Amino acid sequence: MSLYKDLKQECYEANMQLNELGLVIYTFGNVSAVDRENGVFAIKPSGVPYEDLKPEDIVILDFDNNVVEGKMRPSSDTKTHAYLYKNWKNIGGIAHTHATYSVAWAQSQLDIPIFGTTHADHLTEDIPCAAPMRDDLIEGNYEHNTGIQILECFKEKNISYEEVPMVLLGNHGPFTWGKTAAKAVYHSKVLEAVAEMAYLTLQINPKAPRLKDSLIKKHYERKHGKDAYYGQN
Amino acid sequence: MSLYKDLKQECYEANMQLNELGLVIYTFGNVSAVDRENGVFAIKPSGVPYEDLKPEDIVILDFDNNVVEGKMRPSSDTKTHAYLYKNWKNIGGIAHTHATYSVAWAQSQLDIPIFGTTHADHLTEDIPCAAPMRDDLIEGNYEHNTGIQILECFKEKNISYEEVPMVLLGNHGPFTWGKTAAKAVYHSKVLEAVAEMAYLTLQINPKAPRLKDSLIKKHYERKHGKDAYYGQN
Amino acid sequence: MSLYKDLKQECYEANMQLNELGLVIYTFGNVSAVDRENGVFAIKPSGVPYEDLKPEDIVILDFDNNVVEGKMRPSSDTKTHAYLYKNWKNIGGIAHTHATYSVAWAQSQLDIPIFGTTHADHLTEDIPCAAPMRDDLIEGNYEHNTGIQILECFKEKNISYEEVPMVLLGNHGPFTWGKTAAKAVYHSKVLEAVAEMAYLTLQINPKAPRLKDSLIKKHYERKHGKDAYYGQN
Amino acid sequence: MSLYKDLKQECYEANMQLNELGLVIYTFGNVSAVDRENGVFAIKPSGVPYEDLKPEDIVILDFDNNVVEGKMRPSSDTKTHAYLYKNWKNIGGIAHTHATYSVAWAQSQLDIPIFGTTHADHLTEDIPCAAPMRDDLIEGNYEHNTGIQILECFKEKNISYEEVPMVLLGNHGPFTWGKTAAKAVYHSKVLEAVAEMAYLTLQINPKAPRLKDSLIKKHYERKHGKDAYYGQN
């Protein structure tokens, strides 16, 4: 029996959640879950429709993209997941989708401005949109380089992956992450909702102001600060 | 057995309704219901997903925010509800959501103009958008001050909470109320529908005129005037 | 037993269809069905939610708005239906909704231009938007005068109710009709789809040209002309 | 028993899929499937609602539009399907819809620009919009001429039907095709998603740049090139 039965189950459930939340059609997305102790992660097999997916189809790989367990070819985006797990020690799950409003912002090559408290409840920065990849990187190890592109974006903008659990890849779409695979999917859904609200806001009022700093801080602190009073813990 | 079993049930059902009407994702909303005789209200516990919510989880508080019954932490917006119940004697329920079109208008910091009879069937004024909170109020007792912010908005605009059962908080989202918790939820849904229609109207015709006064009055009177002839009572 | 059992059933089913097609929320709509032989029509009672509606609740009236059968108060829009039945001898059913895109165009006070064959498959004219009612008519018998307003609009624009089975009332919303109540509901759904497509067309290309006459004629003729070859009859 | 039972079943299932994917309302669409060996194709009967459709209703015709089997009148668009099958030897199925965003672009008479990798994963060109039909062709054999119009469009733009499995007919709507009827439906859904994303992209950023050539090539190659590594084959 597999050592990674629970990990596969976690990964499977998070992938199915992506589908149930209306964030993907067909096979346009994938979620992975990490096992830090064993230095491996579980990811959706490539091109398998959600209605056919079974927990035992999930592929296990190490952070250098060697398949540890599984008979199917892993997601074509696997190397991006591996690169992020290798470099960002505190994430437990990663999700990638082609959700409509998130993709529209990515195609617009614009950061999503922080317009309200729905956004500030989750992060205090504009949602970053990484510039389209440089041609020399595209020619090379594309999905690996996508990971490099994400890290460079966070370095340039001087933001932390622990505080900003999401990014838009210019002309492509969103990657999100979190402490668990389920939390990564949660961030994909939040991003899609915030992306739609920001789009509508600019349609109604092209001069809509950014949320002021005092409100950004207040909403984030009440959910995530040391005296947080949101939720049951 | 709880004194407040019926109140909790009313509150529970109204919260579940919010979810069924598509007005919330995850835990992005809350509804409360008041018991005027006993000077208490029931509200959703903080951060509990709708699929896990049970009637016995509902928290009972007095209007000074003292927990009267319940083991869970109440909604982080509780003090806003308490302030409104304390000051507005004729409301029986309050709802708060982050519904998409309502939030988009709130983030636009614009009142929703009265463009048609769908709006006039429910209220005769533009739907007010309160200015974002002053920094000194944010630093203080934030959710309590949100209540103050709402009352100040109604005073400045010289409108009555009995005739205008809804408000947008700038950069945040909508609060709505009514004779019962169910009616508060109804007003959240009506607001969302009106917000979407007004958005589309301005996209189609940026110069669309406000509904004329004679039609505003006619539609409101036929539903709410002394000779109302809408409905069965 | 009621003489009008079948008529009530037809009316009931058409009303429920309005709800299932996503054209109404709460009680924001109504459908009627006529019995020409007996000079009566059946209509939804006022303010009754669709989930509570039963066939026996349907109200029967003559064309002068006298209740012939039924214990409930008929729809507040009843007099508009009666006026149209009285004046337009060849219609068998009427529907009224507050569907989102139809209302947005009505609030914009613009006719919906004929941009494509989806529109031309059903009618060869722009969908007319009647100007908001004159103040002297609003003061009077409002719903009766709404019928007058519709007929005046068709006269002014020189169009026929048999060829154009729908109208937008400025600042209000759509009325549609047909040979049967089910056909009236069908036209409400077609109108909503065409209204959404026309809205999107203008967003993508504000200079999008009207469909050319040769294509308007071709598409209408193949569905409704004397050599029609659409459908099974 | 019918020679074409399997072909009818394939055609039936693809038509039902069109409905389940939300690409059609009422009878606004049709799918066909070809049997190259026998030189026939199966197509939906005209004007039959999806809820009433049965596999045995499907009509079988040859490429000159002679009915080979079936009692019902075939889709009014049949001659367009026949023309495409006759001229494009490598397609196995064709789908036609009036899906919302696809129609909006067709009514706008604009090609859909390639803005991102969702598009490039499927084709490397802008999605072509054929000019509205010339008046002399409309007067003639309309649906046959629609086929001519599509082929002329591909010739003028110098694109291949094997690489670009979809087209918009100006003022009308989309036709899509593929190796099978199911694949044709898949392309209809992809087109609708890409059409919505492109629309939103231009609303957010009217100056959004076209995807650069290196990324177009990379994404297409990884899915369809000789060293493709997407999917399980």
Side-chain angles (χ1 to χ4, degrees), chain B residues 105 160 166 218:
Chain B
W105 278 95
S160 148
M166 55 188 70
K218 178 66 196 177

PDB file of all heavy atoms in Angstrom, chain B residues 105 160 166 218:
ATOM      1  N   TRP B 105     -20.229  48.744  -6.264  1.00  0.00           N
ATOM      2  CA  TRP B 105     -20.703  50.126  -6.062  1.00  0.00           C
ATOM      3  C   TRP B 105     -20.077  50.737  -4.810  1.00  0.00           C
ATOM      4  O   TRP B 105     -19.708  51.916  -4.807  1.00  0.00           O
ATOM      5  CB  TRP B 105     -22.239  50.160  -5.963  1.00  0.00           C
ATOM      6  CG  TRP B 105     -22.921  50.149  -7.301  1.00  0.00           C
ATOM      7  CD1 TRP B 105     -23.396  49.067  -7.973  1.00  0.00           C
ATOM      8  CD2 TRP B 105     -23.184  51.284  -8.151  1.00  0.00           C
ATOM      9  NE1 TRP B 105     -23.944  49.446  -9.188  1.00  0.00           N
ATOM     10  CE2 TRP B 105     -23.830  50.804  -9.310  1.00  0.00           C
ATOM     11  CE3 TRP B 105     -22.952  52.651  -8.050  1.00  0.00           C
ATOM     12  CZ2 TRP B 105     -24.234  51.644 -10.353  1.00  0.00           C
ATOM     13  CZ3 TRP B 105     -23.350  53.499  -9.083  1.00  0.00           C
ATOM     14  CH2 TRP B 105     -23.985  52.993 -10.230  1.00  0.00           C
ATOM     15  N   SER B 160     -34.488  58.339   6.115  1.00  0.00           N
ATOM     16  CA  SER B 160     -34.960  57.566   7.259  1.00  0.00           C
ATOM     17  C   SER B 160     -34.664  56.077   7.067  1.00  0.00           C
ATOM     18  O   SER B 160     -34.851  55.539   5.979  1.00  0.00           O
ATOM     19  CB  SER B 160     -36.474  57.769   7.380  1.00  0.00           C
ATOM     20  OG  SER B 160     -37.096  56.608   7.901  1.00  0.00           O
ATOM     21  N   MET B 166     -31.358  50.016   3.529  1.00  0.00           N
ATOM     22  CA  MET B 166     -30.076  49.502   3.048  1.00  0.00           C
ATOM     23  C   MET B 166     -29.079  50.635   2.923  1.00  0.00           C
ATOM     24  O   MET B 166     -29.449  51.789   2.727  1.00  0.00           O
ATOM     25  CB  MET B 166     -30.261  48.822   1.691  1.00  0.00           C
ATOM     26  CG  MET B 166     -30.917  49.665   0.621  1.00  0.00           C
ATOM     27  SD  MET B 166     -31.338  48.726  -0.912  1.00  0.00           S
ATOM     28  CE  MET B 166     -32.696  47.675  -0.364  1.00  0.00           C
ATOM     29  N   LYS B 218     -45.396  56.851  -7.688  1.00  0.00           N
ATOM     30  CA  LYS B 218     -46.451  55.915  -8.074  1.00  0.00           C
ATOM     31  C   LYS B 218     -46.082  54.478  -7.695  1.00  0.00           C
ATOM     32  O   LYS B 218     -46.886  53.749  -7.102  1.00  0.00           O
ATOM     33  CB  LYS B 218     -46.693  56.001  -9.582  1.00  0.00           C
ATOM     34  CG  LYS B 218     -47.754  55.033 -10.101  1.00  0.00           C
ATOM     35  CD  LYS B 218     -49.129  55.383  -9.563  1.00  0.00           C
ATOM     36  CE  LYS B 218     -50.102  54.231  -9.751  1.00  0.00           C
ATOM     37  NZ  LYS B 218     -51.426  54.557  -9.166  1.00  0.00           N
TER      38      LYS B 218
END
